[in-house]
Amino acid sequence: MPPKPSVSKLVPKVPGMPGVTGASRRQQYSASTKRALVDVAEELFTDLGYAAASLDSIVAGARVTKGALYHHFSGKQALFEAVFERVEADASRAIQKALKGKKDPWEKALAGLQAFLAVVQEPRYRRIVIQEGPSVLGYERFREQEERSTFANVLEIVRAVLNAGTWELEEEMLQTFARIFFGAMSSAGESVSSADDPIAAAERVETAIAFILQGFQVLAADGVPLPGATPEAD
Amino acid sequence: MPPKPSVSKLVPKVPGMPGVTGASRRQQYSASTKRALVDVAEELFTDLGYAAASLDSIVAGARVTKGALYHHFSGKQALFEAVFERVEADASRAIQKALKGKKDPWEKALAGLQAFLAVVQEPRYRRIVIQEGPSVLGYERFREQEERSTFANVLEIVRAVLNAGTWELEEEMLQTFARIFFGAMSSAGESVSSADDPIAAAERVETAIAFILQGFQVLAADGVPLPGATPEAD
DNA sequence: TCTGGGTACGTACTCACGGTATGTGAGCAC
DNA sequence: GTGCTCACATACCGTGAGTACGTACCCAGA
């Protein structure tokens, strides 16, 4: 319990909620105002979108004022970026977790795909990362962020799968394939989340991508070189 | 209410040499104010983005006032939608044109892919459709628009390619494959347009996608059924 | 214990921008 | 020429991002 000053004025009370004390948020969590702002912002950005979520409503939800917000963030966009990074980081961690322990590249790929499809269906990921991200951050910054988190996972998986055989791909070609798969999975994931039957849709996506990967295997077995590959002793 | 028998037309009087300054835009192009607004809006939305392009600057560029704008459009978003639809329609036409005359599905696919990669590199398409579209229109409306134009082209190509062999795919599975390829091409296209060497990057993408399609062919030759395919007499 | 500076806010304001309400001249219809 | 509508123009309003500045609190050092 922090030392109680004689009078705390301007306490934003919740009207009609006698159970909630009038103590200011600052007194309760003075150290975590920033987190409270990000929490509320994440919710409002998810529900309303960037433009429609006003700073007034965000600071009201966090029970602070705009002064506090501008103390911690340089502006609305910076607040959004904080939210964006957290959502991306969470998504990346979820995928990493799914990959954990899988040793076989194909198993890894399947687990990663499933985790990715799950993430893409989260409302906050869809809204904040996919829908608003490019517009608010600008395409360059959006791409940078993506590169460091979710895309990195896809790249890792693709690398594992494509290098599993007798190929040793050029880095640029590998990046190209990763881009292609990343886009394929994103788009497919979005279609899954807006499908009438998401479970069936997810299965179709998994089947389709597995089929594509199977094509890779067969080509490898037939000795067809991957484009941009340098032959490797087997 | 009786139907209007005549169409009111404003004939530009233009008594002599129309000076560039002075005369109101209404007198010169009163019938095409709407198009002028869309033209200017397209340019400003492309250069500045949706939020940063103010209506004041748009109406100033079109040499009208906000009253005129709100006479033709219900608001800023409606104006954006008009721009969006035109850009999408142009893109779709460009792809259709590239497909024209190609009979062989593989040839068709390659031409379509190249046209798509070209479209994705246009600044207005990148900014208005890819970057701002989902955010401004909302995901649902964005998806709808896409479905009717660019995606429809991809679907057509994928249908031609996948049905070329001995398969007859279920419609849903076909849609899934089309989604996957659409996403792959979008993502790849974006990476192409932001690459240091777009030409080389485009070649890599074409190579990679051709390789994937080759996998389909080989699997078909090996008699591996496409998932969701009903066998067909050959 | 006093004091000075820094931190973490709160308050009150400005300004730009989207949207609206209303005014107005030009051109038919009769 | 009178009245109506269309195609705008102008003036205004509300909202919301961002800013200037004040202030309570905390800690360090004298």
Side-chain angles (χ1 to χ4, degrees), chain A residues 9-62:
Chain A
K9 30 180 185 174
L10 310 164
V11 177
K13 297 201 177 188
V14 181
M17 291 187 67
V20 177
T21 74
S24 76
R25 216 209 59 73
R26 178 180 186 182
Q27 287 162 0
Q28 294 175 39
Y29 309 105
S30 64
S32 62
T33 298
K34 194 168 178 175
R35 230 197 79 176
L37 283 166
V38 175
D39 285 344
V40 175
E42 178 184 311
E43 191 183 329
L44 290 179
F45 284 150
T46 299
D47 292 346
L48 307 174
Y50 180 77
S54 74
L55 290 186
D56 284 340
S57 67
I58 291 171
V59 297

Side-chain angles (χ1 to χ4, degrees), chain A residues 86-126:
Chain A
R86 208 176 62 176
V87 173
E88 270 275 32
D90 288 351
S92 186
R93 263 196 301 276
I95 296 175
Q96 288 281 355
K97 192 182 163 194
L99 262 47
K100 200 87 178 182
K102 310 282 185 215
K103 206 66 185 56
D104 175 56
W106 300 95
E107 214 182 319
K108 206 171 175 179
L110 184 63
L113 173 57
Q114 287 168 340
F116 189 88
L117 290 180
V119 161
V120 169
Q121 289 183 62
E122 289 176 23
R124 60 176 198 160
Y125 189 85
R126 299 189 61 190

Side-chain angles (χ1 to χ4, degrees), chain B residues 40-76:
Chain B
V40 175
E42 179 184 312
E43 191 183 330
L44 290 180
F45 284 150
T46 298
D47 292 346
L48 307 174
Y50 180 77
S54 75
L55 291 187
D56 284 341
S57 66
I58 291 172
V59 298
R63 300 199 321 185
V64 292
T65 60
K66 288 212 287 190
L69 195 158
Y70 276 89
H71 178 74
H72 290 290
F73 301 96
S74 64
K76 193 182 188 183

Side-chain angles (χ1 to χ4, degrees), chain A residues 111-186:
Chain A
L113 173 57
Q114 287 168 340
F116 189 88
L117 290 180
V119 161
V120 169
Q121 289 183 62
E122 289 176 23
R124 60 176 198 160
Y125 189 85
R126 299 189 61 190
R127 187 89 191 223
I128 291 170
V129 176
I130 299 176
Q131 183 171 335
E132 308 274 22
S135 173
V136 177
L137 298 184
Y139 204 75
E140 279 318 304
R141 272 195 60 71
F142 172 74
R143 180 60 86 73
E144 266 172 46
Q145 294 285 349
E146 213 177 34
E147 216 89 15
R148 278 205 298 273
S149 50
T150 319
F151 177 70
N153 290 317
V154 175
L155 180 59
E156 181 193 333
I157 295 173
V158 170
R159 192 187 302 275
V161 169
L162 294 194
N163 282 343
T166 57
W167 301 313
E168 184 73 34
L169 268 192
E170 283 168 14
E171 182 61 22
E172 293 199 325
M173 207 59 208
L174 217 158
Q175 292 261 355
T176 302
F177 272 111
R179 265 290 149 211
I180 286 174
F181 276 104
F182 183 68
M185 285 163 61
S186 295

Side-chain angles (χ1 to χ4, degrees), chain B residues 104-106 157-168 232 234:
Chain B
D104 175 56
W106 300 95
I157 296 173
V158 170
R159 192 188 302 277
V161 170
L162 295 194
N163 283 341
T166 58
W167 301 312
E168 184 73 35
E232 195 187 5
D234 201 8

